[in-house]
Structure formats: structure tokens, C-alpha cells
Amino acid sequence: MTNTLIIGAGPAGLAIAGQLAHRNLPFTVLEASEYIGIAWRNHYDRLHLHTVKEHSALPHFPYPAEYPTYVSRLQVVEYLERYAEHFSIRPHFNQNVVSIRQNDAGTWQVQTRTDTFEAERVVVATGYNRIPNVPELPGQRNFRGIIWHSRDYRNGAAFRDENVLVVGMGNTGAEVALDLLEHGARPFISVRRPINIVRREVFGRPAQPTAIFLSKFPNWFYDFMARLSQRLTVGDVSAYGLGKPTHAPSYDTRRGVIPVIDIGTLDQIKAGAIKVVPAIQQINAKTVTFADGRELPFDAIILATGYRPGMASILGEPLSEQVLNERGYPKALWFDRPDLRGLYFLGFTTPLTGIIYNLNIDSAKIANHISAQLPKQPDSKNITARP
């Protein structure tokens, strides 16, 4: 039996492993794939962090000085590997977890496809984007072109001179559309509801440090300032088919709705290079009919429809009903109940201040909570912390 079992070797799993290693606390990491940071390895080519490197490193290990302000996908992968090496994090690979159950003795049993692990506590760090959300669009089986989920998209080179419909304008959809344009395609984005957009840089300065500063104030003030900044830098985009959001981006973020961090897509929409169309009514053999009655030809469709955490099947009933909200995300980092003691969740919040920035805060909270549950060391002066 292990003390602390961490499920996932992405940024969240590595963050809590680094926190525990820093405190000289033992742990075991399980990873479903063969690699550390598998999601970052499989993202589209042009992806960079939308947050600055100073606020996007994992605990106790900054990015190399030579890295740019916005770190690239491959640099993130390299950094995650360095992080694991620095803290001697050696995951058990190819351990795809299929169930998490609590034993009568109060410990946790984690079953993978090949092995069974028992632990005093479990940190679920599988991420909010574990399972691709692939909707069945009306008539899509009639379509004669390509239909991909964004997980299969690498770059727009294959779509030069083609009409490509991107379904959904989250951060992925916005960036995929921009990438398609830069590779010579003719991108369209299908938008069903008003989009909250935030510029990655405001008046030439990264927006994230300001968001971190404003997050320390009451929500009403944060929302007021976020709305004011949006009005000054983004403006009213309803004329471009993007609607008019009811709430400030900071308000939506607290509800789990991530705003689009714009890196150039909006300007291309305003210039007419990227077209915005409404919701899909029907997919035909070579065309798509939209809610406003327009029918346009397309060669390919990219589903930028996001991901789901997919934890209900792993946790089972009634555990999932107790710890997950209506969207399938954990309600808290942990639960102070005897029947849930030792079960933690990390990496499922999406604040405007930055996902990885928040991992530092939440992983520290979890590590401190774990430390507080352990018997006191008789002589703490003999314990040497890791760097």
C-alpha cells in the first residue's frame, strides 16, 4: 500500500507530486499513457501558453530564462520532463484507471486495466479535458468531406484553398481558425451563443498579471474592471455575429465558462478574413445549412467542441453523485467527511488568472492538508527539504 497515489502525469499530477517531493512526503504516480504530459504532446502545432511564463511554471521550479514570454507547446513538454527529473517523479506508465473505490477499512482501491493499487489517499489529477466531446450533428453522416475533432488537428497545411467550418469558438476554435487562415484556408466559425473575449495583451502588456491583481478584490469590483477593460479593448462585437455577453468574463469564469483569450482571431474576424456563422441546422453532402437559412459549401469540418473530465464512470455511483457537480466536475479540492477522507481533486478549475497559476495555489492547499493529517515528526530539524 502506498501513502499517496496520484492519478495523472500532466501538469496537475506533476504539480502535486512536486509539492509532496518538496516536503519529503512519499507518493506514487499513475499515468494512462506512455509519456509525461501526453495532452501537451498531442495538441495542435502552433499552441502556446496564453499566460506568461512567470505565472505559468509548476511549484518550486521556474521556466528556463531563455524561454519566451508565452511558452510553446514543445517547450512545455520539455519543461514537464525536466520537472519530473528534478523532483525524481517516476510514474507507472500504461496504467489506465478504470475505477476508484473506498475499502471497508477506509483506504482507497484504484483499479487499472492491469493492476490494483491501494492507498491511504488518492489525488485525482486527470484534468478537465480527458475525454473529447464529440457531438452528433444533424445530418453529419451525409457529409462527404472530412470531419475531425480538434484533438486530431495538427495544422492547416492540408486545408489550403478549402472552405473549413470550425464548430465552436472557445480558445481552441478561435486559434484553429486563425491557424487555418495562416495556412491559406478559408475558415468559418459556427457560434451558437454570445462569446466573452479577452485580449491576451492589453495596451501592449500581458493581461494575466492584471487579472491576478484584480482577483484579490471583491467579485463586484473585479467584474466591473474586467467589463471596462473588455469595452475598451474588444468593444461591441455583436455586429460580427459574436453576440453581446450578459456578464463580465470574470463572472463567467467563476461559473466554469472560460472566455476566449484572443491572440489575433478577433482582428481577422473584423477584417472579414474569418467568417462567423450561426448554429448549424443541417449538414448536407457538400454544404451546411445554418440557423439563419444560409447554405454554404465546405470541404472539411473541425469540431472544436471541447472535452469532458469523464470521471463519473471511474468513480461510479454513489460516489460521483456526492463529489461531482451537474457538469461532471469536482465540487471541491477535498471533502471533510469520514466517508470521503483522503480523496482529492486537482486541476479542474479554470480561473481567468490562469490554469497553471491556479495549480500552484491548489496543489499547495492539498499538500498542506495532507501534511496536516500525518503524525508529527519527533524532530523536524533532522528533516532536509528538497530544493
Side-chain angles (χ1 to χ4, degrees):
M1 182 171 72
T2 186
N3 297 79
T4 301
L5 188 65
I6 300 168
I7 303 175
L14 295 180
I16 186 60
Q19 293 278 20
L20 295 177
H22 187 72
R23 293 163 171 78
N24 279 335
L25 298 177
F27 59 86
T28 299
V29 179
L30 303 183
E31 166 56 38
S33 73
E34 297 180 355
Y35 301 101
I36 285 170
I38 188 64
W40 277 92
R41 293 175 188 272
N42 291 335
H43 281 312
Y44 48 91
D45 293 345
R46 68 161 289 149
L47 180 64
H48 286 64
L49 287 174
H50 291 166
T51 51
V52 298
K53 69 176 181 180
E54 290 80 7
H55 295 301
S56 302
L58 296 182
H60 311 297
F61 193 70
Y63 281 104
E66 66 270 19
Y67 277 23
T69 299
Y70 301 104
V71 181
S72 73
R73 178 183 67 89
L74 291 179
Q75 288 171 325
V76 170
V77 172
E78 181 183 36
Y79 168 79
L80 295 179
E81 291 176 340
R82 290 186 184 182
Y83 191 88
E85 181 180 359
H86 178 76
F87 287 107
S88 299
I89 302 169
R90 299 181 179 88
H92 295 267
F93 293 109
N94 297 309
Q95 293 290 344
N96 195 328
V97 172
V98 295
S99 72
I100 302 171
R101 301 289 185 270
Q102 192 174 40
N103 295 328
D104 294 337
T107 59
W108 294 93
Q109 180 175 303
V110 175
Q111 181 68 49
T112 71
R113 290 178 179 173
T114 56
D115 297 284
T116 301
F117 297 83
E118 188 176 355
E120 296 178 15
R121 63 197 65 84
V122 172
V123 182
V124 182
T126 50
Y128 65 91
N129 60 350
R130 192 171 72 91
I131 306 295
N133 178 42
V134 185
E136 179 76 20
L137 301 175
Q140 78 172 50
R141 297 185 182 183
N142 299 323
F143 190 64
R144 296 180 184 176
I146 291 174
I147 299 181
W148 284 353
H149 188 271
S150 58
R151 65 174 173 176
D152 301 313
Y153 180 91
R154 293 295 175 267
N155 59 63
F159 302 99
R160 181 175 298 275
D161 295 325
E162 293 188 347
N163 286 0
V164 183
L165 177 62
V166 179
V167 181
M169 189 176 167
N171 279 295
T172 297
E175 192 159 357
V176 165
L178 186 61
D179 187 66
L180 286 164
L181 179 66
E182 292 173 351
H183 280 88
R186 294 181 291 274
F188 294 69
I189 307 178
S190 174
V191 176
R192 294 190 302 167
R193 58 179 64 91
I195 303 296
N196 245 321
I197 300 173
V198 177
R199 297 281 192 180
R200 187 177 70 175
E201 295 188 349
V202 178
F203 305 122
R205 298 177 63 86
Q208 186 194 16
T210 302
I212 292 172
F213 174 73
L214 290 175
S215 67
K216 305 179 188 303
F217 290 87
N219 288 338
W220 69 265
F221 182 74
Y222 188 6
D223 293 347
F224 171 78
M225 294 302 296
R227 178 70 91 180
L228 178 61
S229 174
Q230 188 180 50
R231 188 178 300 123
L232 292 174
T233 60
V234 175
D236 185 353
V237 294
S238 56
Y240 301 98
L242 298 174
K244 193 169 185 178
T246 305
H247 303 290
S250 49
Y251 176 91
D252 277 354
T253 301
R254 291 194 297 273
R255 297 188 300 122
V257 181
I258 308 174
V260 173
I261 310 300
D262 180 64
I263 59 171
T265 303
L266 181 58
D267 289 342
Q268 295 299 335
I269 289 174
K270 290 181 176 181
I274 297 176
K275 310 290 186 183
V276 176
V277 290
I280 294 171
Q281 184 179 83
Q282 179 73 27
I283 295 179
N284 312 301
K286 296 182 178 180
T287 63
V288 175
T289 305
F290 298 97
D292 61 359
R294 277 184 290 172
E295 183 176 351
L296 300 172
F298 289 98
D299 302 287
I301 298 173
I302 308 296
L303 302 175
T305 46
Y307 295 79
R308 297 291 182 267
M311 285 192 294
S313 61
I314 295 175
L315 296 173
E317 295 181 2
L319 186 56
S320 61
E321 296 177 355
Q322 299 176 63
V323 302
L324 303 181
N325 63 22
E326 66 281 356
R327 298 176 60 241
Y329 294 87
K331 299 175 185 177
L333 298 179
W334 67 81
F335 303 86
D336 289 320
R337 291 170 35 179
D339 58 329
L340 296 175
R341 184 174 293 121
L343 182 62
Y344 299 86
F345 297 92
L346 179 63
F348 297 95
T349 54
T350 54
L352 196 57
T353 49
I355 294 172
I356 299 180
Y357 173 81
N358 204 61
L359 283 180
N360 282 263
I361 299 171
D362 288 347
S363 62
K365 290 178 180 177
I366 291 175
N368 290 338
H369 190 268
I370 290 174
S371 298
Q373 311 304 309
L374 300 176
K376 298 296 182 182
Q377 296 290 336
D379 185 3
S380 59
K381 293 181 180 179
N382 293 329
I383 299 175
T384 302
R386 293 197 180 199

